[in-house]
Amino acid sequence: MNQNKLFNEAADCNKHPILEVLKEQLNDKGEALEISSGSGQHVVHFAKNFPKWTWQPSEYDLRCLKSISEYIAESQLDNIFKPLLIDLNTCDLSSLKENKFDLILCINMVHITPLKCSESLFAVASTLLKSNGKLITYGPYSVNGLLTPESNVLFDLSLKSQNADWGVRDISYLEGLAKNNNLILRNTVEMPCNNKCLIFVRKLE
C-alpha cells in the first residue's frame, strides 16, 4: 500500500450502514462537505454511490490530507474536490461560500475532540448550509445523561483517560448547540455497534 494511504478498519465497516442512511436522507443531486474526513475511505465510497453530488473532503491532520488525496486519485472520480485544511479550533472558512452546501457530514469526530470543536461544527453548519440543508453526525452518544451499553461506558472512560477534553457527548447538549445555530434535530437513527446518526436540519429563514 502507498505509504501516504491510511486504512481505518472501523471506517471500512461503518461506511456501508452510513451510506444507507444517506440514501434515505439525500436528494438525487447536491453539494456535500465532509468535516474531519479521516483517511478518505468514506468520501470516496459516498462519491461513488452519489455520482450527481459533489463532495468536498476536509481535515486538519496533514497525514490524513495526504491519504485523502491518494484515495481520490486512485478512485479516478471527478465529483470529489481536493481536500481542504479545516481546523475547527480556528474555523477559517474564507475559502468556502456561505449557504453553499446541501449536506455537512461529520463522522466519529465529536467524541475525540474538545467541546470547542463541536461548538464550531454547528456554527460552521449554520453558516455554510443552505436553508433546509442537513448536518449529519455519526458516533456514540448518551441520551438524557444515560450512556448505554456498558461497552460505551468503558469507551467513554478510555477516551477521558487519553484526553480530559474528550468524551461521549449527550444528544441534549448537541441539540442545544443546534438551537443556538438555527438548526433542529430532525431524526436519530440507531446504527450498528451502539452508534447513532443524528440528522440536523437548518431551519428555513
Side-chain angles (χ1 to χ4, degrees):
M1 181 182 288
N2 186 307
Q3 63 178 359
N4 289 326
K5 190 176 171 186
L6 306 175
F7 179 81
N8 184 290
E9 186 173 351
D12 196 54
C13 291
N14 64 35
K15 67 183 182 182
H16 303 293
I18 295 173
L19 175 63
E20 293 307 307
V21 172
L22 295 180
K23 287 179 178 178
E24 293 179 357
Q25 295 293 328
L26 303 186
N27 297 322
D28 291 337
K29 185 178 180 180
E31 298 182 69
L33 167 66
E34 185 180 25
I35 297 288
S36 189
S37 296
S39 63
Q41 290 162 255
H42 283 137
V43 72
V44 167
H45 184 63
F46 302 148
K48 188 181 300 181
N49 284 276
F50 285 92
K52 294 183 180 180
W53 278 70
T54 58
W55 295 83
Q56 176 62 73
S58 71
E59 254 295 344
Y60 81 98
D61 186 311
L62 296 181
R63 291 187 313 144
C64 289
L65 287 169
K66 291 180 181 178
S67 180
I68 296 164
S69 295
E70 292 292 341
Y71 275 98
I72 294 172
E74 183 183 79
S75 75
Q76 298 186 332
L77 295 169
D78 61 5
N79 60 330
I80 314 177
F81 296 120
K82 179 181 177 181
L84 295 177
L85 174 62
I86 294 181
D87 185 349
L88 289 179
N89 284 299
T90 59
C91 255
D92 179 9
L93 304 174
S94 56
S95 62
L96 295 172
K97 183 181 177 182
E98 292 186 9
N99 306 318
K100 173 181 175 61
F101 294 100
D102 302 279
L103 169 70
I104 293 178
L105 183 62
C106 184
I107 298 170
N108 277 336
M109 184 208 78
V110 170
H111 56 284
I112 55 170
T113 53
L115 292 176
K116 175 177 172 53
C117 290
S118 292
E119 294 168 359
S120 296
L121 174 65
F122 281 85
V124 165
S126 180
T127 300
L128 298 184
L129 281 177
K130 297 175 182 177
S131 291
N132 220 33
K134 295 178 179 178
L135 166 64
I136 300 180
T137 71
Y138 168 93
Y141 301 99
S142 58
V143 182
N144 296 322
L146 180 63
L147 181 59
T148 59
E150 183 66 19
S151 58
N152 272 355
V153 175
L154 295 175
F155 180 53
D156 182 50
L157 291 172
S158 173
L159 291 172
K160 290 173 179 174
S161 70
Q162 296 174 63
N163 189 319
D165 290 330
W166 294 0
V168 176
R169 311 305 182 194
D170 197 87
I171 292 177
S172 62
Y173 165 70
L174 298 183
E175 281 191 276
L177 294 181
K179 182 178 180 181
N180 291 338
N181 288 282
N182 204 36
L183 289 98
I184 57 172
L185 178 60
R186 179 67 56 80
N187 195 17
T188 299
V189 182
E190 296 294 333
M191 303 293 285
C193 302
N194 307 308
N195 290 302
K196 304 178 193 298
C197 272
L198 306 183
I199 318 295
F200 297 92
V201 179
R202 187 181 178 204
K203 300 180 202 175
L204 293 170
E205 296 179 351

